[in-house]
Amino acid sequence: MVRPAEPNNRIRKRETANVPVRQSQITNRRSSWFAVAFLVLAAVLIGRLFWVQVVWGPELREQAQAQRARVYTEPARRGEIVDREGNQLAYTMQARSLTVSPVTLRNEIRQQQELQMRVDGLSRDSIDAQIDARVEDVLRTMANEIPSMIGDGVVEEDAASSSESSNRKVGDVSSREILDKLHADSDYEVLVRNVDPDVAATIAQTFHGVAADHQDIRQYPNGAIGENVLGRVSMDGHGQFGLEASGDSMLTGINGSSREDVSGDGQAIPGTLRDVVPAVDGSRVELTIDLDLQTYVQQTLEQAKENSQALDAQAVVLDARTGEVLAMANTGTIDPNGDLEKQLSEGRDFENDSISHPFEPGSVAKVITAAAAIEEGLTDPFEVHQVPGSIDMAGVTVSDAWPHGVVPYTTAGIFGKSSNVGTLQLAQRLGEERYWDYLQRFGLGQTTGIELPNETAGLLPVREQWSGGTFANLPIGQGMSWSALQMASVYQALANGGERIEPRVISRVIGPDGQEVDQPKPEHTRVVSEETAHTVVDMFRSVFQSDPAGVQSGTAGGNELEGYQLAGKTGTAQKVNSETGAYSQHQFWITFAGIAPADDPRFVVAVMLDEPKRGPLEGGAGGQSAAPVFTQIANWLLNRENVPPSPPADPYILQAD
């Protein structure tokens, strides 16, 4: 009997027996692949981790630190400027500017309001319907409350506005302007400037998104008084004009800094404050300027300009013994607290014409010839000279301002009456070389060394360039230009016993540590002997002499001060006509330089009027002279300082019999 199914059963049994083996092998293979894949992935991750930690680690740490760290700058306060008595002329007031990023602020307010409405359980439709109104409510609240928080002024309501669009205003802060800025499509807006720091900090803490940025405000409490000396600072806090510019390094100081870490939401992380460098404030600069005198001189010049209808007026007052500048003024000085654009359009400016705008001094310069001739022993105040009405020098004919024949003027009379011819006769005795030497001694053609910017050296032809007519012009004050400060300095040398001291406007500099900072000492130059200086100053009293007959009268007669001896010199210098290039017969600089009192010099005053049409006193009185302005300033000073009266002195003989 045949059994066909048996082999198949064996085969099936063998196949069934091999299934677990194959599945095991497949499983093992898969496990191996998984293990390999895991090991590869682990190797990759370990490699990546190694790369991040070891290779990129330092750089990433620096980036993370930079993202966390905030560097804060502590601005240094600019040093104050005060006068010789400690009165403030310029100081810095610290304030804050309230700033926002309108676009960012509105987005963040929207997010905050939306989150709050979700917390309150409002539906999506309700949120969408109310979100814009809620954002607007927050903005209007900020716009209405910020002005009230800034000041205690009267809050005015715009009657034409509804309660929802009111224009609440405190001082110059308007809620409407603030609201407009909060609605602006920009990333930066200044809501309010010049806010008290404490108030600004409170506002910044109260309203999300408002920052209190540091702001320094330079204050000039005296307006235009002394502004030609002080100058001003630019918007970025650097000096632009005057002492603010020349003394910028002293006044500026050094900003401080610190570093602190912050969290992701901008909050400071406690304990991370480091690298603290305190700010070093600028130095305090004490000037030689007398604020009261500066005020009086500026007011007097403005009145003199108006009365005389001059184009301009300048004056400098020096301490005769030290060369310190007590006042330095010119008309048209700008008020830094006013509308600058308007004032500039009216011709006012920050210029200090007293040191930067030279002019021909005219007969005021004759004092150099007088001092040189007496120092060289070539004459004395009482020598009688036969002075003709004109003189020829190197083909140039020079005449006196009035026609006359030969007149017996004394040396005192030559200068008291301001004779051009007599002055040139003495200059001829002196000679060109010696005259040039005295010009150098008096500091002409050189800057004075004053600690202010843009000082002119004036104009003085160098000796090698003199032509035949140069020596016919210089001794009578034409052909060279001086600043008002140089003019005052020439007379200061004589008032100080023949020793010229470089003028100074800075008295002391006090550093932020309270210690005085050494300043360069002014140079002293012996110009003439003490005896010569006293002789010249006394001889120039003749300028103020008055004689009813006019014979013994000086050019400033009638401008004397009762009880005091005054010395000085008038000047009238022709201006060059810009069209012809020749000296004008109608345009003049009118000058005066003088010493008060002459017997014991305390003050030197130099004055210049540019093209006056009449006298500088009220109603145009005072004649075509700057002497009345000198007398006004000298009188104010002598009275203010209680200077004792001068002893009686005999007048000089100006014209011999």
Side-chain angles (χ1 to χ4, degrees):
M1 184 175 181
V2 177
R3 299 176 181 174
E6 186 175 356
N8 293 334
N9 288 338
R10 284 198 300 268
I11 293 173
R12 191 177 294 116
K13 287 179 181 180
R14 284 197 298 269
E15 288 179 351
T16 301
N18 288 334
V19 168
V21 175
R22 290 180 185 148
Q23 288 179 341
S24 175
Q25 289 175 345
I26 291 172
T27 300
N28 288 338
R29 263 191 237 104
R30 288 177 178 173
S31 298
S32 297
W33 280 113
F34 282 136
V36 170
F38 176 80
L39 290 175
V40 170
L41 179 61
V44 170
L45 292 176
I46 293 173
R48 179 70 172 177
L49 183 62
F50 173 83
W51 193 265
V52 170
Q53 290 285 350
V54 178
V55 179
W56 290 351
E59 182 179 354
L60 293 174
R61 280 194 296 272
E62 289 180 5
Q63 292 177 358
Q65 180 67 24
Q67 291 173 355
R68 287 198 311 270
R70 295 291 183 271
V71 177
Y72 301 100
T73 298
E74 179 187 358
R77 178 172 293 190
R78 191 174 182 85
E80 66 175 348
I81 304 174
V82 300
D83 82 336
R84 64 190 303 113
E85 299 297 332
N87 298 307
Q88 285 186 322
L89 302 177
Y91 65 92
T92 295
M93 182 178 74
Q94 288 190 342
R96 297 292 184 270
S97 291
L98 298 177
T99 63
V100 296
S101 173
V103 173
T104 301
L105 174 65
R106 293 195 298 271
N107 289 336
E108 291 177 350
I109 292 176
R110 178 176 292 274
Q111 293 172 6
Q112 292 172 351
Q113 294 299 316
E114 183 175 344
L115 178 60
Q116 183 61 48
M117 286 189 284
R118 286 179 179 177
V119 172
D120 293 342
L122 272 69
S123 66
R124 182 72 256 175
D125 291 341
S126 297
I127 292 174
D128 292 340
Q130 299 180 31
I131 187 66
D132 290 339
R134 289 207 179 193
V135 171
E136 186 64 21
D137 285 344
V138 174
L139 296 179
R140 288 183 177 275
T141 299
M142 294 173 65
N144 288 327
E145 292 187 11
I146 287 176
S148 297
M149 296 177 69
I150 287 175
D152 296 325
V154 177
V155 179
E156 300 177 355
E157 192 84 15
D158 188 343
S161 301
S162 67
S163 59
E164 291 186 352
S165 60
S166 63
N167 183 30
R168 307 182 71 189
K169 187 170 183 178
V170 176
D172 293 329
V173 183
S174 167
S175 62
R176 180 171 297 162
E177 292 177 2
I178 292 178
L179 186 60
D180 289 343
K181 291 177 180 179
L182 293 176
H183 283 144
D185 187 20
S186 65
D187 292 321
Y188 182 81
E189 291 288 335
V190 178
L191 298 181
V192 188
R193 298 183 187 275
N194 307 345
V195 181
D196 178 87
D198 292 337
V199 174
T202 301
I203 292 173
Q205 292 171 359
T206 303
F207 297 109
H208 175 80
V210 177
D213 295 344
H214 181 93
Q215 178 188 6
D216 281 340
I217 306 173
R218 195 63 166 171
Q219 297 289 312
Y220 300 97
N222 305 294
I225 302 302
E227 188 58 25
N228 58 310
V229 175
L230 299 174
R232 65 163 292 184
V233 296
S234 62
M235 292 294 292
D236 58 2
H238 296 295
Q240 277 188 304
F241 305 98
L243 186 71
E244 294 278 28
S246 61
D248 195 51
S249 59
M250 293 186 295
L251 294 163
T252 299
I254 304 172
N255 291 339
S257 64
S258 62
R259 186 182 296 267
E260 189 173 26
D261 291 344
V262 296
S263 61
D265 60 359
Q267 298 297 314
I269 299 175
T272 61
L273 184 65
R274 60 194 182 278
D275 302 335
V276 179
V277 178
V280 179
D281 291 338
S283 297
R284 168 189 169 106
V285 179
E286 299 179 4
L287 302 186
T288 61
I289 296 293
D290 182 316
L291 178 59
D292 291 339
L293 176 61
Q294 179 76 23
T295 302
Y296 180 77
V297 171
Q298 281 191 228
Q299 292 173 345
T300 300
L301 284 183
E302 292 290 354
Q303 291 171 357
K305 175 185 175 180
E306 181 178 356
N307 291 336
S308 67
Q309 299 177 3
L311 300 178
D312 183 27
Q314 303 172 16
V316 172
V317 181
L318 300 181
D319 185 305
R321 300 166 182 171
T322 66
E324 292 179 345
V325 178
L326 303 180
M328 177 182 288
N330 43 257
T331 53
T333 298
I334 204 166
D335 180 356
N337 303 323
D339 186 333
L340 297 185
E341 188 171 333
K342 179 181 178 182
Q343 293 182 81
L344 290 170
S345 67
E346 295 172 347
R348 294 185 172 273
D349 54 46
F350 289 97
E351 294 296 324
N352 190 356
D353 295 348
S354 301
I355 66 170
S356 60
H357 286 55
F359 49 85
E360 294 198 2
S363 295
V364 165
K366 291 175 181 176
V367 75
I368 295 177
T369 301
I374 291 176
E375 177 76 0
E376 296 295 326
L378 302 175
T379 189
D380 62 56
F382 311 103
E383 181 187 359
V384 178
H385 308 263
Q386 300 304 315
V387 181
S390 64
I391 187 174
D392 182 85
M393 291 182 65
V396 177
T397 300
V398 180
S399 302
D400 279 336
W402 66 102
H404 63 82
V406 177
V407 181
Y409 290 138
T410 62
T411 300
I414 287 174
F415 298 107
K417 289 187 172 292
S418 197
S419 170
N420 293 334
V421 176
T423 301
L424 291 176
Q425 285 179 322
L426 290 172
Q428 284 180 322
R429 292 186 186 182
L430 190 63
E432 294 184 6
E433 292 298 336
R434 284 195 289 189
Y435 180 72
W436 169 255
D437 178 52
Y438 279 94
L439 291 175
Q440 301 303 296
R441 295 191 198 184
F442 277 102
L444 299 174
Q446 313 160 34
T447 56
T448 66
I450 193 76
E451 314 97 314
L452 294 171
N454 303 323
E455 184 189 9
T456 179
L459 175 64
L460 179 65
V462 296
R463 179 67 185 87
E464 294 76 16
Q465 295 178 349
W466 285 15
S467 63
T470 303
F471 195 46
N473 281 329
L474 296 182
I476 61 174
Q478 294 202 162
M480 59 179 167
S481 296
W482 302 356
S483 68
L485 180 60
Q486 287 175 316
M487 186 163 68
S489 181
V490 167
Y491 279 74
Q492 181 275 328
L494 296 170
N496 188 44
E499 185 178 53
R500 178 170 59 89
I501 303 176
E502 284 185 334
R504 286 288 181 265
V505 74
I506 294 178
S507 175
R508 295 199 307 164
V509 176
I510 308 300
D513 58 356
Q515 300 298 311
E516 185 171 350
V517 180
D518 290 337
Q519 297 298 303
K521 302 298 181 183
E523 290 188 11
H524 294 228
T525 302
R526 172 57 61 182
V527 179
V528 294
S529 68
E530 189 171 347
E531 181 181 0
T532 295
H534 289 162
T535 299
V536 172
V537 170
D538 192 71
M539 181 174 68
F540 273 66
R541 289 191 297 109
S542 62
V543 173
F544 286 94
Q545 288 182 190
S546 294
D547 173 18
V551 176
Q552 307 301 334
S553 291
T555 54
N559 291 288
E560 61 271 14
L561 282 176
E562 185 178 355
Y564 292 99
Q565 298 178 22
L566 302 177
K569 186 70 191 75
T570 55
T572 302
Q574 295 171 286
K575 299 179 72 173
V576 175
N577 188 305
S578 58
E579 295 180 359
T580 65
Y583 280 114
S584 171
Q585 300 301 315
H586 308 287
Q587 299 169 299
F588 303 94
W589 287 294
I590 304 299
T591 59
F592 192 93
I595 299 165
D599 58 297
D600 183 20
R602 292 281 303 278
F603 309 106
V604 173
V605 183
V607 181
M608 188 279 287
L609 302 177
D610 187 358
E611 293 189 36
K613 295 179 174 58
R614 55 187 189 174
L617 300 181
E618 186 176 358
Q624 287 282 14
S625 173
V629 181
F630 162 81
T631 301
Q632 286 180 302
I633 296 172
N635 185 44
W636 190 92
L637 274 166
L638 295 172
N639 286 332
R640 200 276 298 269
E641 297 299 319
N642 293 316
V643 176
S646 304
D650 294 331
Y652 278 89
I653 300 298
L654 306 187
Q655 182 176 326
D657 296 334

